Amino acid sequence: MSPAAIQPGALFINGKREDAVSGRTIEVRNPATAELLTTVPDAGSEDVDRAVAAARTSFVRKTWRGLPPSRRERVLLTLADLIEKHRDELSLLETLETGKTLRESAGADVGPSASCFRYYAGWVRKIHGETIPVDGSFLNYTLREPMGVVGAIVPWNFPLQLATWKVAPALACGCSVVLKPSELTPLTALRLAELAVEAGLPEGVLNVVTGYGTTAGDALARHMDVDKLSFTGSTRTGRALLNASAESNLKRVSLELGGKSPNIVFPDADREAAIKGAFWGIFGNKGEICSAGSRLLVHGDIYDEFVETLASRARRLKLGDPQDKLTMMGSQISAAQMERVLGYVQSGVEEGARLVCGGERDAEGAKANGFFVKPTIFADVKPSMKIAQEEIFGPVLAAIRFENTDHAIEIANGTIYGLAAAVWTRDIKLAHRMAAEIQAGTVWINTYNGFDNGSPFGGYKQSGFGRDLGMHAIEQYTQVKSVWVAL
Ligand code: NAD
């Protein structure tokens, strides 16, 4: 597919392609080349109203939740098959709009999206209430009912996968959904909705509005007829959404927010495995991963050698055309994000951290118009520095030295975030102690960025609350009713 082959996108409301009432559009660009890919509607509150009304109507009429569970299971399985069938097309769209490599789009975004729908198809027939022994002559039972109309707002770094993490469990629970993708990466969400209808999902159950956060996103967040808001994105926006809920109808909110995850290496670690974990933990998806291991904590005994080995590999990392099989790292999502990352580099230098490699834009040859940033490593970073405290969301690693276990725990827990962490050691007691002491929603031991649809993912502290994936996501999209029957 060439960029010229991408038709202008449309809102997806009640199974139909629609323009924004205002007629306004948003340009979607390829960040690796800055070329215009296509346009999508710039939805306003009146468009969000239409999408929410379609979702509400499908919910009230029970066009989806009223279907036999085995049929709903089949629809989600068919959707998983269709995502796989269109894997090449979806991967290319993802690469064109995000600047990540095709390998990453296929392997870490589109492939997992198909398996996520398959996983939640398995839940459709397993969501049920309980009977509870109560005093007196009563039968008491619970009904686990769908939450209603779900507003799902997602970011640009894993557009299809993060949309799927919301849409798949919400549909499995019988909810209807209005999905708002990032204004930078709306294309795969629109294809997902079309494929869902092709798979047999009734019209109006999954609607997609494309638009900006402060207009379409805000309208969804403040909508009086949305029952639940499921969000992945920045901590700043998460705060705005809590306000929006408080100031509207107290809709339920779950938030998957930012991170500053520590990757902690002890001297007895399997060195090669730890190097690889540290390397891809920060440079995978060009550092635009909420769970990126952006703080590398290395024991003083091995610190210098470890950092130098990493840097020598980082200097050889091939940046370039994301569609080229040999490219290891693509471009940042936008000029603004690139400038933000470079601003953090400057702050690291100003605060006295030692720039070991990278730290600048790569605009060589075909990369001239793209937003590429060389893989960057800072050494001698102090835990209080800005580059060790704030989420950069780019290929910038802050390497911090620690002297003993307590010191490592203190540094690891010393930010506002608590999304993920990793520990590298052969000492099983130490590994479990660290897993218990670290305040994070996920702790990896001797591995990094392990994900499975069955395993919950989400934050401690200001990394958010509520969990995506696994049985825990089912709790996000259902509510429990207690029924009393006098006998
Ligand atoms: P962002 O918060 O700016 O935007 C995310 C989404 O929210 C977009 O669709 C955007 O349009 C919308 N939005 C923005 N302002 C809004 C508002 N006021 N009201 C309603 N919607 C609004 O985040 P981003 O820059 O797109 O993504 C990067 C952030 O996402 C990083 O902080 C990263 O850590 C986080 N993230 C977290 C996870 C996780 O699972 N915890 C996963 C991926 C990304």
Side-chain angles (χ1 to χ4, degrees):
M1 188 197 302
S2 72
I6 303 177
Q7 297 300 314
L11 307 176
F12 197 79
I13 299 177
N14 214 13
K16 290 175 197 63
R17 292 168 55 89
E18 303 266 0
D19 290 328
V21 169
S22 69
R24 283 197 303 267
T25 56
I26 299 174
E27 292 186 341
V28 183
R29 290 188 177 270
N30 178 348
T33 60
E35 277 171 335
L36 180 67
L37 293 171
T38 188
T39 59
V40 294
D42 175 5
S45 61
E46 57 286 352
D47 302 303
V48 171
D49 285 346
R50 289 190 292 154
V52 173
R56 176 59 65 191
T57 301
S58 71
F59 193 75
V60 170
R61 294 196 182 145
K62 301 187 182 173
T63 58
W64 170 241
R65 66 183 167 125
L67 294 179
S70 58
R71 187 142 155 229
R72 285 191 282 132
E73 179 188 37
R74 227 173 17 250
V75 169
L76 296 187
L77 287 172
T78 307
L79 178 52
D81 291 345
L82 284 174
I83 292 171
E84 261 168 14
K85 186 174 155 197
H86 293 272
R87 185 182 171 124
D88 290 350
E89 174 203 345
L90 289 165
S91 302
L92 183 54
L93 278 180
E94 206 73 308
T95 283
L96 288 172
E97 63 181 356
T98 62
K100 70 174 77 179
T101 63
L102 208 45
R103 181 175 36 81
E104 287 168 324
S105 291
D109 209 340
V110 178
S113 299
S115 73
C116 188
F117 274 105
R118 213 162 269 140
Y119 173 81
Y120 281 106
W123 267 103
V124 172
R125 293 199 274 170
K126 302 180 185 78
I127 299 167
H128 51 69
E130 315 137 301
T131 55
I132 297 169
V134 291
D135 282 352
S137 198
F138 298 100
L139 166 66
N140 178 253
Y141 65 92
T142 61
L143 296 173
R144 187 167 277 278
E145 298 183 327
M147 197 74 89
V149 173
V150 172
I153 302 181
V154 294
W156 41 257
N157 59 334
F158 287 89
L160 186 64
Q161 190 186 16
L162 294 178
T164 297
W165 284 13
K166 317 288 191 202
V167 172
L171 294 182
C173 293
C175 294
S176 294
V177 181
V178 177
L179 169 65
K180 196 206 85 63
S182 165
E183 54 276 20
L184 298 173
T185 56
L187 302 179
T188 46
L190 292 171
R191 273 304 276 144
L192 176 69
E194 289 173 351
L195 293 176
V197 169
E198 190 180 331
L201 191 73
E203 290 165 358
V205 178
L206 174 59
N207 308 277
V208 181
V209 286
T210 54
Y212 293 104
T214 48
T215 50
D218 186 63
L220 193 57
R222 290 179 183 275
H223 206 289
M224 295 301 285
D225 208 20
V226 169
D227 302 298
K228 154 87 193 183
L229 203 57
S230 182
F231 174 70
T232 297
S234 64
T235 298
R236 182 180 45 82
T237 305
R239 262 182 231 287
L241 298 186
L242 282 177
N243 270 330
S245 165
E247 289 165 8
S248 57
N249 61 344
L250 290 181
K251 53 182 69 61
R252 278 65 179 144
V253 179
S254 51
L255 303 174
E256 301 276 358
L257 308 175
K260 193 72 191 174
S261 301
N263 206 346
I264 308 167
V265 186
F266 286 92
D268 68 339
D270 174 339
R271 202 66 60 87
E272 182 54 25
I275 293 272
K276 282 194 179 132
F279 191 85
W280 290 114
I282 186 63
F283 299 132
N285 210 56
K286 6 119 185 180
E288 293 170 350
I289 308 190
C290 52
S291 56
S294 52
R295 288 185 298 150
L296 176 67
L297 277 52
V298 187
H299 191 278
D301 289 355
I302 57 167
Y303 181 90
D304 291 328
E305 186 201 328
F306 196 93
V307 170
E308 191 38 51
T309 309
L310 265 184
S312 71
R313 293 188 192 186
R315 290 184 196 104
R316 296 197 303 267
L317 189 71
K318 186 175 174 333
L319 273 67
D321 175 2
Q323 293 184 54
D324 183 337
K325 282 197 173 64
L326 296 177
T327 296
M328 304 309 283
M329 201 168 92
S331 93
Q332 306 307 130
I333 186 74
S334 63
Q337 185 65 14
M338 178 184 73
E339 293 304 337
R340 189 166 172 256
V341 171
L342 295 176
Y344 275 108
V345 170
Q346 196 182 338
S347 112
V349 171
E350 282 166 8
E351 285 197 274
R354 178 162 57 90
L355 184 61
V356 185
C357 64
E360 56 185 0
R361 180 179 188 173
D362 182 347
E364 216 182 284
K367 299 190 281 293
N369 296 322
F371 311 122
F372 294 84
V373 175
K374 291 185 183 170
T376 301
I377 298 178
F378 276 106
D380 303 338
V381 175
K382 300 278 173 282
S384 60
M385 289 177 180
K386 208 166 147 186
I387 54 167
Q389 287 292 324
E390 297 184 14
E391 182 178 52
I392 299 175
F393 225 58
V396 179
L397 183 66
I400 305 171
R401 192 187 295 263
F402 71 86
E403 300 310 331
N404 56 49
T405 303
D406 287 344
H407 189 207
I409 293 169
E410 186 191 325
I411 300 170
N413 289 335
T415 74
I416 61 166
Y417 295 111
L419 191 59
V423 179
W424 300 85
T425 176
R426 287 190 165 93
D427 179 341
I428 192 159
K429 270 196 197 164
L430 175 62
H432 287 295
R433 177 177 170 212
M434 296 298 286
E437 300 265 5
I438 291 172
Q439 295 159 3
T442 296
V443 178
W444 291 294
I445 295 172
N446 296 330
T447 183
Y448 207 87
N449 269 340
F451 286 93
D452 189 280
N453 293 310
S455 182
F457 184 74
Y460 275 34
K461 303 197 287 184
Q462 291 185 41
S463 289
F465 45 81
R467 292 290 177 273
D468 280 327
L469 301 179
M471 62 180 281
H472 299 272
I474 300 296
E475 288 159 16
Q476 310 293 328
Y477 301 102
T478 53
Q479 50 194 342
V480 174
K481 181 182 283 170
S482 177
V483 182
W484 290 78
V485 186
L487 299 176

